[in-house]
Amino acid sequence: MTVLAAIRPDDWNLPLFVHILGAMLLVGALALVAGALASRDLRLGFRSLLYGVLPGWVVMRGSAEWIADKEGLNDVDPVPSWVDIGYSVADPSLLLILIATVCTGLAASRQRGDGLRVTALVLVGILLVASVVAIWVMSTKPT
Amino acid sequence: MYDWLLFLHLISAFLLGVTVVVYSAVAFGATTDGRTMFMADRCWDVGGLGTLVLGIWLALHLDQYDFFDGWILGAIGLWLVATGLGQSVIRRRAVGETAAIDTMHWLRTLAVIGLLVLMVWKPGA
């Protein structure tokens, strides 16, 4: 199993590389947003969500589909549980990202609205925890 | 054992990603407070140590890899370059010397991307 996990066909490498790069951008930008919102820098928080978190999610999710297609995982019946969990974490994350972006944008434009800032901060915290779960699932591939 | 090593190795790599993203935001003109930069630097400390120690542990744990494989030595070399550049950036920021900081940051970013390339393609493995 260890050997199987470590060796893969060469043509899976590019989508895997793009997938990890997108996920790293996503998580890094989420951490930046958390720091910015915690120190009440709403402008930086909003820009990081818009130019870091959202593109990171798109790259991560798009390349997840790409590599799943290469590996034929979507054609397997039943779909492996680690793939299912990955989708179950990634897809609702987009909704949370969009809500956090709207909350931060509104709070930034009003220059007040601590409730919106705190809401966005909680959502970003949930997204960071979800990211750790996704990384665990992708690395351990539980069946 | 392998699964946990790989998981913690990946978490460490993501911490390096946090540092790179925060410094990239600064390079693009964002103003951040000292607390955010402190967090970014500690992420590199923990992530850097984690990737190195757990990466070597993984290489020793798996039969098909050897510590002296070219891609592993290359990764250690890139890790040293990236960490050295990061330390230089921190030193220069501390004394207010801003020249070349952005260049050093982007070189560190390239080194991290190079590390990821080596980890995924594992040339020569």
Side-chain angles (χ1 to χ4, degrees), chain A residues 77-102:
Chain A
D77 189 27
V79 173
S81 58
W82 62 273
V83 176
D84 251 352
I85 297 170
Y87 286 150
S88 309
V89 172
D91 292 349
S93 291
L94 178 62
L95 184 63
L96 298 188
I97 290 168
L98 292 174
I99 296 171
T101 307
V102 170

Side-chain angles (χ1 to χ4, degrees), chain B residues 5 9 11 20 23 44 47 49 53-54 73 75 82 91-92 99 105 117 121 123:
Chain B
L5 283 176
H9 183 60
I11 288 288
V20 166
Y23 271 89
W44 186 276
L49 193 65
V53 172
L54 296 165
L73 292 177
R91 266 197 310 274
R92 284 166 188 251
H105 160 66
V117 167
W121 270 270

Side-chain angles (χ1 to χ4, degrees), chain A residues 50-115:
Chain A
L50 210 57
Y51 301 129
V53 175
L54 272 170
W57 187 91
V58 169
V59 172
M60 179 278 296
R61 188 61 183 83
S63 52
E65 207 61 50
W66 184 13
I67 194 166
D69 183 57
K70 285 262 184 201
E71 294 187 37
L73 290 171
N74 292 330
D75 303 327
V76 178
D77 189 27
V79 173
S81 58
W82 62 273
V83 176
D84 251 352
I85 297 170
Y87 286 150
S88 309
V89 172
D91 292 349
S93 291
L94 178 62
L95 184 63
L96 298 188
I97 290 168
L98 292 174
I99 296 171
T101 307
V102 170
C103 286
T104 310
L106 284 174
S109 65
R110 292 174 187 173
Q111 283 306 317
R112 56 189 176 85
D114 212 41

